[in-house]
Amino acid sequence: MRYLPFAMAAAVAAALPASATAAEDPYCAYVKNRAAADSAVLVAPELIGSAGLVNAGSEITGDGNVAFEAGMRLTLGLRYDFVELYRGLATRRVGEADCRRHLALRDLETFLEAGRQAGLGEAATAQLEVLEELLPQAEKRLQQVRDEVQAGRAGIEELNATQLRVAELRNRAADARLAAERAQPADTG
């Protein structure tokens, strides 16, 4: 008698869906609950029954004939299909496997993203240092080309090309500065 409350608590805990007992990933909760719902139909026994009138001989008359009386017959039962049971349990295992696959894929994506972000701050800082060393030299070369164009020793195409190169260096330096600033709190924390 003292095991009855424990048995009732175990039965209630087994009847609860997995998502009610532990916090899970929403996708896993969906897949497991869907698999449990699909398998519930497959593992449940089937109730069968039939009812009808049956003619059964109840007494023999004096002339050798049997007098038939109509009687009611009711047949009830449970039928269990072991192939459906196997399919139901396999459906649950598929839900569990899909959840494990999803969690592994999520962990892999997290790992790859962390690897992509590793060292970005140092790389951006190093790139910024190199570009800041090159910018004064590029500005000086641009001024030289302007002077050569004014003196007639260089063409306008060379001036335009040099201006584009210097502008690209400035843009790359600004991008590197921004990337270094963004990555700095992640590197220090």
Side-chain angles (χ1 to χ4, degrees), residues 67-138:
F68 291 102
E69 253 181 51
M72 245 350 235
R73 180 187 295 176
L74 178 65
T75 305
L76 295 175
L78 293 175
R79 184 175 76 173
Y80 217 84
D81 187 356
F82 290 104
V83 173
E84 293 294 315
L85 173 66
Y86 179 77
R87 285 179 55 199
L89 295 176
T91 301
R92 288 183 187 175
R93 286 193 304 270
V94 166
E96 292 287 331
D98 193 15
C99 177
R100 286 192 309 272
R101 181 200 59 83
H102 170 74
L103 292 176
L105 185 61
R106 186 189 65 190
D107 291 346
L108 177 64
E109 288 172 353
T110 302
F111 175 75
L112 291 176
E113 184 61 30
R116 237 181 262 126
Q117 299 298 323
L120 277 182
E122 294 88 7
T125 304
Q127 185 180 23
L128 181 61
E129 289 174 6
V130 170
L131 289 172
E132 286 178 344
E133 288 177 15
L134 288 177
L135 272 173
Q137 296 171 9

